[in-house]
Amino acid sequence: MTRKAKRGLSAPFLINQAVDRLRAGGVVAFPTETVYGLGADARNETAIKRVFEVKRRPADHPLIVHVADEAQAEDWAAEISETARRLMAHFWPGPLTLVLPARGDVPRAITGGQDSVALRVPSHPVALALLNAFDGGLAAPSANRFGAVSPTEAWHVRASLGGQVDLVLDGGPCRYGLESTIVSLLDERPRVLRPGALPLAALRQVLGEEGVEYGDPSAPSPRVPGTLPGHYAPVTPLEVHALENLIPRAEALLAQGLRVAVLRGNRSLRGKPTLPPLPQFLLPTRPEEYARCLYGRLRELDRFAFDRLLVEAPPDEDVWWAVNDRLTRASAGSRREARP
Ligand code: TXA
Ligand code: MG
């Protein structure tokens, strides 16, 4: 029997097994097109509590409820505006999370005690198969410890949460590699709370240039932990610099006897100042591919136990917004724990 045929046979079996675990209040990691999620029955408060425990996430931080389709969103949202409908029609299934007014019966353990709920329909076929078979909402934060880099492959989940998860569904590497874009529809104008895998340009195409606001006015807000400075940090302390500043910084750190590595987009350095001799790691040049590889690369680099990782700042452009956002947070997070 070919490998493909074998996978075809085992997949429905695993989905059924996952559904059994979820119905019993278990936690199951599953692939989405953005990152791997740590799923639990969103109506089961005990199961939700386990998600917080496994992640070591503070209990007042809300979770995204994943649903199978737009119709299921009605079970969670008290009101779905015309704008929300338009966004759902364009981008679901896909990497867009919408924050909407919550129905009264939504467990407050999910919303962090707020009156709003974050909803998304993921497009990964395994996630959709699971949601359709489960036939209910799955609360699913990224399947990593609170504050750490999100998993983009099944083994990342096993390596960091391993024995604490009842089952890990393996759907291969995630297509986007960065978390979903979060848009709040609680105010008159849609507001981007977290840049992510859905590009800004796509939102603007549907909502118009003036139709979107950016950032949480009360940020950094503990209500959106993904927007806390210091979130998404790898273990190796990381700094982000433009090339002209990166070089003197590398020289200074090397002079202190530190083990330094550089991570940069694979662009030619011809005609640019020369980097001192140190290990260089490359990421693809295009923003989507850079994003897809970033978390995995940071995870790999942690294994080398460098004292410092210097990242060349990507361009300050809209298409790099989500990547720049995560790099800035990773550097803030690692500054906290940085060795000398
Ligand atoms: O791509 C993703 O969104 C992944 C995959 C697994 O779907 N999930 C993910 O979940 O990134 P998590 O828990 O790591 O991040 C969820 C973000 C948090 O920043 C949380 O505060 C925000 O969503 N959030 C959830 N409910 C909210 C609400 N009612 N209002 C504002 N923000 C909310
Ligand atoms: Mg997360």
Side-chain angles (χ1 to χ4, degrees), residues 32 34-37 55 57 62-64 66 97 99 114 116-118 120 140-142 179-180 182 193-194 223-226:
T32 83
T34 59
V35 300
Y36 275 73
K55 271 194 71 97
R57 179 169 175 154
L63 303 177
I64 297 175
H66 297 64
T97 295
V99 176
Q114 304 176 91
S116 59
V117 63
R120 116 173 170 88
S142 50
E179 299 81 359
S180 61
I182 304 183
L193 297 182
R194 176 177 77 180
R223 293 303 190 171
V224 191

PDB file of all heavy atoms in Angstrom, residues 32 34-37 55 57 62-64 66 97 99 114 116-118 120 140-142 179-180 182 193-194 223-226, ligand 1:
ATOM      1  N   THR A  32      -3.612  24.350  11.821  1.00  0.00           N
ATOM      2  CA  THR A  32      -4.414  25.298  11.051  1.00  0.00           C
ATOM      3  C   THR A  32      -3.482  25.873   9.984  1.00  0.00           C
ATOM      4  O   THR A  32      -2.289  25.591   9.991  1.00  0.00           O
ATOM      5  CB  THR A  32      -5.000  26.450  11.910  1.00  0.00           C
ATOM      6  OG1 THR A  32      -4.016  27.466  12.069  1.00  0.00           O
ATOM      7  CG2 THR A  32      -5.522  25.964  13.248  1.00  0.00           C
ATOM      8  N   THR A  34      -2.465  28.778   9.845  1.00  0.00           N
ATOM      9  CA  THR A  34      -1.569  29.792  10.439  1.00  0.00           C
ATOM     10  C   THR A  34      -0.512  29.122  11.306  1.00  0.00           C
ATOM     11  O   THR A  34       0.659  29.090  10.950  1.00  0.00           O
ATOM     12  CB  THR A  34      -2.379  30.801  11.271  1.00  0.00           C
ATOM     13  OG1 THR A  34      -3.079  30.099  12.307  1.00  0.00           O
ATOM     14  CG2 THR A  34      -3.351  31.571  10.410  1.00  0.00           C
ATOM     15  N   VAL A  35      -0.930  28.590  12.448  1.00  0.00           N
ATOM     16  CA  VAL A  35      -0.038  27.876  13.369  1.00  0.00           C
ATOM     17  C   VAL A  35      -0.845  26.717  13.968  1.00  0.00           C
ATOM     18  O   VAL A  35      -2.054  26.634  13.745  1.00  0.00           O
ATOM     19  CB  VAL A  35       0.473  28.815  14.502  1.00  0.00           C
ATOM     20  CG1 VAL A  35       1.240  30.003  13.931  1.00  0.00           C
ATOM     21  CG2 VAL A  35      -0.669  29.313  15.390  1.00  0.00           C
ATOM     22  N   TYR A  36      -0.191  25.830  14.720  1.00  0.00           N
ATOM     23  CA  TYR A  36      -0.937  24.749  15.386  1.00  0.00           C
ATOM     24  C   TYR A  36      -1.705  25.311  16.579  1.00  0.00           C
ATOM     25  O   TYR A  36      -1.210  26.163  17.309  1.00  0.00           O
ATOM     26  CB  TYR A  36       0.015  23.639  15.841  1.00  0.00           C
ATOM     27  CG  TYR A  36       0.299  22.640  14.744  1.00  0.00           C
ATOM     28  CD1 TYR A  36       1.114  22.984  13.665  1.00  0.00           C
ATOM     29  CD2 TYR A  36      -0.290  21.379  14.754  1.00  0.00           C
ATOM     30  CE1 TYR A  36       1.343  22.080  12.639  1.00  0.00           C
ATOM     31  CE2 TYR A  36      -0.056  20.464  13.737  1.00  0.00           C
ATOM     32  CZ  TYR A  36       0.751  20.819  12.678  1.00  0.00           C
ATOM     33  OH  TYR A  36       0.968  19.930  11.658  1.00  0.00           O
ATOM     34  N   GLY A  37      -2.929  24.805  16.765  1.00  0.00           N
ATOM     35  CA  GLY A  37      -3.755  25.241  17.877  1.00  0.00           C
ATOM     36  C   GLY A  37      -3.887  24.150  18.924  1.00  0.00           C
ATOM     37  O   GLY A  37      -3.734  22.951  18.632  1.00  0.00           O
ATOM     38  N   LYS A  55      -0.941  25.661  28.776  1.00  0.00           N
ATOM     39  CA  LYS A  55      -0.222  26.797  28.201  1.00  0.00           C
ATOM     40  C   LYS A  55       0.467  27.651  29.263  1.00  0.00           C
ATOM     41  O   LYS A  55       1.274  28.504  28.941  1.00  0.00           O
ATOM     42  CB  LYS A  55      -1.194  27.693  27.432  1.00  0.00           C
ATOM     43  CG  LYS A  55      -1.376  27.318  25.994  1.00  0.00           C
ATOM     44  CD  LYS A  55      -2.063  28.432  25.227  1.00  0.00           C
ATOM     45  CE  LYS A  55      -1.215  29.655  25.000  1.00  0.00           C
ATOM     46  NZ  LYS A  55      -0.554  29.755  23.722  1.00  0.00           N
ATOM     47  N   ARG A  57      -1.096  29.933  30.797  1.00  0.00           N
ATOM     48  CA  ARG A  57      -1.559  31.249  30.368  1.00  0.00           C
ATOM     49  C   ARG A  57      -2.430  31.860  31.453  1.00  0.00           C
ATOM     50  O   ARG A  57      -3.276  31.176  32.023  1.00  0.00           O
ATOM     51  CB  ARG A  57      -2.369  31.051  29.092  1.00  0.00           C
ATOM     52  CG  ARG A  57      -2.959  32.301  28.495  1.00  0.00           C
ATOM     53  CD  ARG A  57      -3.464  31.928  27.119  1.00  0.00           C
ATOM     54  NE  ARG A  57      -4.160  32.997  26.473  1.00  0.00           N
ATOM     55  CZ  ARG A  57      -4.257  33.106  25.150  1.00  0.00           C
ATOM     56  NH1 ARG A  57      -3.691  32.226  24.383  1.00  0.00           N
ATOM     57  NH2 ARG A  57      -4.920  34.087  24.614  1.00  0.00           N
ATOM     58  N   PRO A  62      -8.336  36.074  26.836  1.00  0.00           N
ATOM     59  CA  PRO A  62      -9.366  35.368  26.057  1.00  0.00           C
ATOM     60  C   PRO A  62      -8.814  34.454  24.963  1.00  0.00           C
ATOM     61  O   PRO A  62      -7.692  34.637  24.505  1.00  0.00           O
ATOM     62  CB  PRO A  62     -10.164  36.506  25.436  1.00  0.00           C
ATOM     63  CG  PRO A  62      -9.235  37.666  25.378  1.00  0.00           C
ATOM     64  CD  PRO A  62      -8.306  37.517  26.541  1.00  0.00           C
ATOM     65  N   LEU A  63      -9.632  33.490  24.552  1.00  0.00           N
ATOM     66  CA  LEU A  63      -9.247  32.513  23.521  1.00  0.00           C
ATOM     67  C   LEU A  63     -10.094  32.712  22.267  1.00  0.00           C
ATOM     68  O   LEU A  63     -11.222  33.189  22.348  1.00  0.00           O
ATOM     69  CB  LEU A  63      -9.487  31.091  24.029  1.00  0.00           C
ATOM     70  CG  LEU A  63      -8.807  30.671  25.325  1.00  0.00           C
ATOM     71  CD1 LEU A  63      -9.238  29.240  25.686  1.00  0.00           C
ATOM     72  CD2 LEU A  63      -7.301  30.736  25.178  1.00  0.00           C
ATOM     73  N   ILE A  64      -9.553  32.289  21.137  1.00  0.00           N
ATOM     74  CA  ILE A  64     -10.316  32.322  19.882  1.00  0.00           C
ATOM     75  C   ILE A  64     -11.171  31.055  19.796  1.00  0.00           C
ATOM     76  O   ILE A  64     -10.675  29.953  20.048  1.00  0.00           O
ATOM     77  CB  ILE A  64      -9.362  32.389  18.670  1.00  0.00           C
ATOM     78  CG1 ILE A  64      -8.538  33.681  18.709  1.00  0.00           C
ATOM     79  CG2 ILE A  64     -10.156  32.280  17.363  1.00  0.00           C
ATOM     80  CD1 ILE A  64      -7.480  33.776  17.614  1.00  0.00           C
ATOM     81  N   HIS A  66     -12.881  28.512  17.367  1.00  0.00           N
ATOM     82  CA  HIS A  66     -12.839  28.083  15.973  1.00  0.00           C
ATOM     83  C   HIS A  66     -14.140  27.366  15.642  1.00  0.00           C
ATOM     84  O   HIS A  66     -14.562  26.484  16.400  1.00  0.00           O
ATOM     85  CB  HIS A  66     -11.645  27.154  15.746  1.00  0.00           C
ATOM     86  CG  HIS A  66     -10.322  27.831  15.977  1.00  0.00           C
ATOM     87  ND1 HIS A  66      -9.934  28.308  17.210  1.00  0.00           N
ATOM     88  CD2 HIS A  66      -9.301  28.115  15.140  1.00  0.00           C
ATOM     89  CE1 HIS A  66      -8.734  28.870  17.110  1.00  0.00           C
ATOM     90  NE2 HIS A  66      -8.323  28.756  15.868  1.00  0.00           N
ATOM     91  N   THR A  97      -9.490  36.501  12.177  1.00  0.00           N
ATOM     92  CA  THR A  97     -10.284  36.327  13.400  1.00  0.00           C
ATOM     93  C   THR A  97     -11.106  37.589  13.610  1.00  0.00           C
ATOM     94  O   THR A  97     -10.576  38.698  13.523  1.00  0.00           O
ATOM     95  CB  THR A  97      -9.348  36.091  14.605  1.00  0.00           C
ATOM     96  OG1 THR A  97      -8.662  34.854  14.403  1.00  0.00           O
ATOM     97  CG2 THR A  97     -10.118  36.035  15.909  1.00  0.00           C
ATOM     98  N   VAL A  99     -13.594  39.800  16.138  1.00  0.00           N
ATOM     99  CA  VAL A  99     -14.077  39.989  17.509  1.00  0.00           C
ATOM    100  C   VAL A  99     -15.463  40.626  17.433  1.00  0.00           C
ATOM    101  O   VAL A  99     -15.631  41.706  16.858  1.00  0.00           O
ATOM    102  CB  VAL A  99     -13.099  40.863  18.326  1.00  0.00           C
ATOM    103  CG1 VAL A  99     -13.666  41.143  19.717  1.00  0.00           C
ATOM    104  CG2 VAL A  99     -11.739  40.183  18.428  1.00  0.00           C
ATOM    105  N   GLN A 114     -14.919  39.166  29.249  1.00  0.00           N
ATOM    106  CA  GLN A 114     -15.440  40.290  28.452  1.00  0.00           C
ATOM    107  C   GLN A 114     -16.769  39.910  27.789  1.00  0.00           C
ATOM    108  O   GLN A 114     -17.157  38.750  27.772  1.00  0.00           O
ATOM    109  CB  GLN A 114     -14.438  40.668  27.361  1.00  0.00           C
ATOM    110  CG  GLN A 114     -13.072  41.002  27.902  1.00  0.00           C
ATOM    111  CD  GLN A 114     -12.089  41.272  26.778  1.00  0.00           C
ATOM    112  OE1 GLN A 114     -11.924  42.407  26.342  1.00  0.00           O
ATOM    113  NE2 GLN A 114     -11.436  40.228  26.296  1.00  0.00           N
ATOM    114  N   SER A 116     -17.261  40.178  24.625  1.00  0.00           N
ATOM    115  CA  SER A 116     -17.001  39.954  23.196  1.00  0.00           C
ATOM    116  C   SER A 116     -16.372  38.582  23.022  1.00  0.00           C
ATOM    117  O   SER A 116     -15.818  38.016  23.963  1.00  0.00           O
ATOM    118  CB  SER A 116     -16.052  41.029  22.676  1.00  0.00           C
ATOM    119  OG  SER A 116     -14.844  40.993  23.403  1.00  0.00           O
ATOM    120  N   VAL A 117     -16.486  38.054  21.792  1.00  0.00           N
ATOM    121  CA  VAL A 117     -15.898  36.746  21.518  1.00  0.00           C
ATOM    122  C   VAL A 117     -15.144  36.807  20.189  1.00  0.00           C
ATOM    123  O   VAL A 117     -15.595  37.466  19.242  1.00  0.00           O
ATOM    124  CB  VAL A 117     -16.975  35.634  21.523  1.00  0.00           C
ATOM    125  CG1 VAL A 117     -18.009  35.831  20.428  1.00  0.00           C
ATOM    126  CG2 VAL A 117     -16.350  34.247  21.406  1.00  0.00           C
ATOM    127  N   ALA A 118     -13.983  36.153  20.152  1.00  0.00           N
ATOM    128  CA  ALA A 118     -13.180  36.114  18.928  1.00  0.00           C
ATOM    129  C   ALA A 118     -13.493  34.824  18.183  1.00  0.00           C
ATOM    130  O   ALA A 118     -13.474  33.741  18.773  1.00  0.00           O
ATOM    131  CB  ALA A 118     -11.697  36.191  19.279  1.00  0.00           C
ATOM    132  N   ARG A 120     -13.168  32.392  14.447  1.00  0.00           N
ATOM    133  CA  ARG A 120     -12.539  32.218  13.135  1.00  0.00           C
ATOM    134  C   ARG A 120     -12.849  30.848  12.575  1.00  0.00           C
ATOM    135  O   ARG A 120     -13.042  29.877  13.319  1.00  0.00           O
ATOM    136  CB  ARG A 120     -11.045  32.522  13.253  1.00  0.00           C
ATOM    137  CG  ARG A 120     -10.045  31.433  12.997  1.00  0.00           C
ATOM    138  CD  ARG A 120      -8.648  32.053  13.009  1.00  0.00           C
ATOM    139  NE  ARG A 120      -7.603  31.038  13.004  1.00  0.00           N
ATOM    140  CZ  ARG A 120      -7.077  30.490  11.916  1.00  0.00           C
ATOM    141  NH1 ARG A 120      -7.540  30.841  10.721  1.00  0.00           N
ATOM    142  NH2 ARG A 120      -6.129  29.575  11.989  1.00  0.00           N
ATOM    143  N   ALA A 140      -9.115  27.458  20.765  1.00  0.00           N
ATOM    144  CA  ALA A 140      -7.765  27.000  20.411  1.00  0.00           C
ATOM    145  C   ALA A 140      -6.775  28.144  20.343  1.00  0.00           C
ATOM    146  O   ALA A 140      -6.702  28.845  19.340  1.00  0.00           O
ATOM    147  CB  ALA A 140      -7.787  26.243  19.082  1.00  0.00           C
ATOM    148  N   PRO A 141      -6.016  28.308  21.414  1.00  0.00           N
ATOM    149  CA  PRO A 141      -4.881  29.220  21.327  1.00  0.00           C
ATOM    150  C   PRO A 141      -3.746  28.502  20.613  1.00  0.00           C
ATOM    151  O   PRO A 141      -3.827  27.289  20.386  1.00  0.00           O
ATOM    152  CB  PRO A 141      -4.517  29.463  22.795  1.00  0.00           C
ATOM    153  CG  PRO A 141      -4.934  28.220  23.494  1.00  0.00           C
ATOM    154  CD  PRO A 141      -6.120  27.672  22.732  1.00  0.00           C
ATOM    155  N   SER A 142      -2.722  29.222  20.244  1.00  0.00           N
ATOM    156  CA  SER A 142      -1.561  28.570  19.645  1.00  0.00           C
ATOM    157  C   SER A 142      -1.001  27.563  20.655  1.00  0.00           C
ATOM    158  O   SER A 142      -1.028  27.802  21.862  1.00  0.00           O
ATOM    159  CB  SER A 142      -0.512  29.607  19.262  1.00  0.00           C
ATOM    160  OG  SER A 142      -0.253  30.478  20.343  1.00  0.00           O
ATOM    161  N   GLU A 179       0.324  33.864  13.081  1.00  0.00           N
ATOM    162  CA  GLU A 179      -1.045  33.808  13.572  1.00  0.00           C
ATOM    163  C   GLU A 179      -2.000  34.639  12.698  1.00  0.00           C
ATOM    164  O   GLU A 179      -1.567  35.514  11.940  1.00  0.00           O
ATOM    165  CB  GLU A 179      -1.110  34.328  15.013  1.00  0.00           C
ATOM    166  CG  GLU A 179      -0.276  33.538  16.002  1.00  0.00           C
ATOM    167  CD  GLU A 179       1.202  33.918  15.978  1.00  0.00           C
ATOM    168  OE1 GLU A 179       1.587  34.788  15.175  1.00  0.00           O
ATOM    169  OE2 GLU A 179       1.961  33.342  16.764  1.00  0.00           O
ATOM    170  N   SER A 180      -3.292  34.388  12.890  1.00  0.00           N
ATOM    171  CA  SER A 180      -4.313  35.091  12.109  1.00  0.00           C
ATOM    172  C   SER A 180      -4.313  36.590  12.419  1.00  0.00           C
ATOM    173  O   SER A 180      -3.873  37.022  13.484  1.00  0.00           O
ATOM    174  CB  SER A 180      -5.696  34.509  12.443  1.00  0.00           C
ATOM    175  OG  SER A 180      -5.986  34.695  13.817  1.00  0.00           O
ATOM    176  N   ILE A 182      -6.285  39.728  13.578  1.00  0.00           N
ATOM    177  CA  ILE A 182      -7.489  39.898  14.417  1.00  0.00           C
ATOM    178  C   ILE A 182      -8.104  41.265  14.172  1.00  0.00           C
ATOM    179  O   ILE A 182      -7.425  42.289  14.290  1.00  0.00           O
ATOM    180  CB  ILE A 182      -7.153  39.756  15.923  1.00  0.00           C
ATOM    181  CG1 ILE A 182      -6.480  38.410  16.200  1.00  0.00           C
ATOM    182  CG2 ILE A 182      -8.411  39.908  16.772  1.00  0.00           C
ATOM    183  CD1 ILE A 182      -6.176  38.162  17.671  1.00  0.00           C
ATOM    184  N   LEU A 193      -6.583  44.522  15.585  1.00  0.00           N
ATOM    185  CA  LEU A 193      -5.985  44.403  16.925  1.00  0.00           C
ATOM    186  C   LEU A 193      -4.641  43.690  16.869  1.00  0.00           C
ATOM    187  O   LEU A 193      -3.789  43.900  17.717  1.00  0.00           O
ATOM    188  CB  LEU A 193      -6.907  43.620  17.861  1.00  0.00           C
ATOM    189  CG  LEU A 193      -8.274  44.217  18.169  1.00  0.00           C
ATOM    190  CD1 LEU A 193      -9.020  43.326  19.151  1.00  0.00           C
ATOM    191  CD2 LEU A 193      -8.145  45.629  18.717  1.00  0.00           C
ATOM    192  N   ARG A 194      -4.501  42.803  15.893  1.00  0.00           N
ATOM    193  CA  ARG A 194      -3.226  42.096  15.742  1.00  0.00           C
ATOM    194  C   ARG A 194      -2.986  41.894  14.246  1.00  0.00           C
ATOM    195  O   ARG A 194      -3.812  41.257  13.586  1.00  0.00           O
ATOM    196  CB  ARG A 194      -3.299  40.736  16.450  1.00  0.00           C
ATOM    197  CG  ARG A 194      -2.039  39.882  16.274  1.00  0.00           C
ATOM    198  CD  ARG A 194      -2.097  38.567  17.050  1.00  0.00           C
ATOM    199  NE  ARG A 194      -2.938  37.573  16.393  1.00  0.00           N
ATOM    200  CZ  ARG A 194      -3.152  36.343  16.860  1.00  0.00           C
ATOM    201  NH1 ARG A 194      -2.602  35.967  18.006  1.00  0.00           N
ATOM    202  NH2 ARG A 194      -3.928  35.503  16.210  1.00  0.00           N
ATOM    203  N   ARG A 223      -5.632  42.371  27.673  1.00  0.00           N
ATOM    204  CA  ARG A 223      -6.748  41.634  27.091  1.00  0.00           C
ATOM    205  C   ARG A 223      -6.345  40.949  25.799  1.00  0.00           C
ATOM    206  O   ARG A 223      -7.007  40.062  25.332  1.00  0.00           O
ATOM    207  CB  ARG A 223      -7.913  42.594  26.793  1.00  0.00           C
ATOM    208  CG  ARG A 223      -8.521  43.164  28.048  1.00  0.00           C
ATOM    209  CD  ARG A 223      -8.980  42.035  28.937  1.00  0.00           C
ATOM    210  NE  ARG A 223      -9.773  42.562  30.026  1.00  0.00           N
ATOM    211  CZ  ARG A 223     -10.434  41.800  30.852  1.00  0.00           C
ATOM    212  NH1 ARG A 223     -10.397  40.499  30.724  1.00  0.00           N
ATOM    213  NH2 ARG A 223     -11.125  42.324  31.823  1.00  0.00           N
ATOM    214  N   VAL A 224      -5.327  41.431  25.150  1.00  0.00           N
ATOM    215  CA  VAL A 224      -4.864  40.821  23.912  1.00  0.00           C
ATOM    216  C   VAL A 224      -3.393  40.460  24.109  1.00  0.00           C
ATOM    217  O   VAL A 224      -2.511  41.198  23.715  1.00  0.00           O
ATOM    218  CB  VAL A 224      -5.033  41.781  22.709  1.00  0.00           C
ATOM    219  CG1 VAL A 224      -4.812  41.045  21.386  1.00  0.00           C
ATOM    220  CG2 VAL A 224      -6.416  42.404  22.724  1.00  0.00           C
ATOM    221  N   PRO A 225      -3.146  39.323  24.762  1.00  0.00           N
ATOM    222  CA  PRO A 225      -1.771  38.999  25.119  1.00  0.00           C
ATOM    223  C   PRO A 225      -0.860  38.952  23.916  1.00  0.00           C
ATOM    224  O   PRO A 225       0.306  39.249  24.008  1.00  0.00           O
ATOM    225  CB  PRO A 225      -1.871  37.632  25.783  1.00  0.00           C
ATOM    226  CG  PRO A 225      -3.213  37.102  25.442  1.00  0.00           C
ATOM    227  CD  PRO A 225      -4.081  38.286  25.162  1.00  0.00           C
ATOM    228  N   GLY A 226      -1.426  38.599  22.747  1.00  0.00           N
ATOM    229  CA  GLY A 226      -0.614  38.578  21.536  1.00  0.00           C
ATOM    230  C   GLY A 226      -0.101  39.965  21.186  1.00  0.00           C
ATOM    231  O   GLY A 226       0.729  40.127  20.312  1.00  0.00           O
TER     232      GLY A 226
HETATM  233  O1  TXA B   1      -3.868  31.978  13.990  1.00  0.00           O
HETATM  234  C1  TXA B   1      -4.376  32.006  15.109  1.00  0.00           C
HETATM  235  O2  TXA B   1      -5.146  32.921  15.465  1.00  0.00           O
HETATM  236  C2  TXA B   1      -4.044  30.848  16.052  1.00  0.00           C
HETATM  237  C3  TXA B   1      -4.642  29.572  15.472  1.00  0.00           C
HETATM  238  C4  TXA B   1      -4.452  28.393  16.374  1.00  0.00           C
HETATM  239  O3  TXA B   1      -5.981  29.779  15.163  1.00  0.00           O
HETATM  240  N1  TXA B   1      -4.517  31.112  17.371  1.00  0.00           N
HETATM  241  C5  TXA B   1      -3.962  32.048  18.164  1.00  0.00           C
HETATM  242  O4  TXA B   1      -4.523  32.073  19.427  1.00  0.00           O
HETATM  243  O5  TXA B   1      -3.049  32.785  17.824  1.00  0.00           O
HETATM  244  P1  TXA B   1      -3.849  32.802  20.672  1.00  0.00           P
HETATM  245  O6  TXA B   1      -4.675  32.426  21.846  1.00  0.00           O
HETATM  246  O7  TXA B   1      -2.427  32.478  20.734  1.00  0.00           O
HETATM  247  O8  TXA B   1      -4.105  34.292  20.371  1.00  0.00           O
HETATM  248  C6  TXA B   1      -5.428  34.739  20.376  1.00  0.00           C
HETATM  249  C7  TXA B   1      -5.502  36.218  20.439  1.00  0.00           C
HETATM  250  C8  TXA B   1      -5.010  36.722  21.755  1.00  0.00           C
HETATM  251  O9  TXA B   1      -4.166  37.832  21.511  1.00  0.00           O
HETATM  252  C9  TXA B   1      -6.307  37.098  22.440  1.00  0.00           C
HETATM  253  O10 TXA B   1      -6.158  38.075  23.414  1.00  0.00           O
HETATM  254  C10 TXA B   1      -7.145  37.579  21.287  1.00  0.00           C
HETATM  255  O11 TXA B   1      -6.878  36.615  20.316  1.00  0.00           O
HETATM  256  N2  TXA B   1      -8.568  37.564  21.647  1.00  0.00           N
HETATM  257  C11 TXA B   1      -9.336  36.501  21.912  1.00  0.00           C
HETATM  258  N3  TXA B   1     -10.581  36.890  22.270  1.00  0.00           N
HETATM  259  C12 TXA B   1     -10.593  38.234  22.210  1.00  0.00           C
HETATM  260  C13 TXA B   1     -11.571  39.238  22.468  1.00  0.00           C
HETATM  261  N4  TXA B   1     -12.794  38.922  22.873  1.00  0.00           N
HETATM  262  N5  TXA B   1     -11.217  40.520  22.326  1.00  0.00           N
HETATM  263  C14 TXA B   1      -9.960  40.855  21.918  1.00  0.00           C
HETATM  264  N6  TXA B   1      -8.986  39.946  21.660  1.00  0.00           N
HETATM  265  C15 TXA B   1      -9.289  38.673  21.798  1.00  0.00           C
END
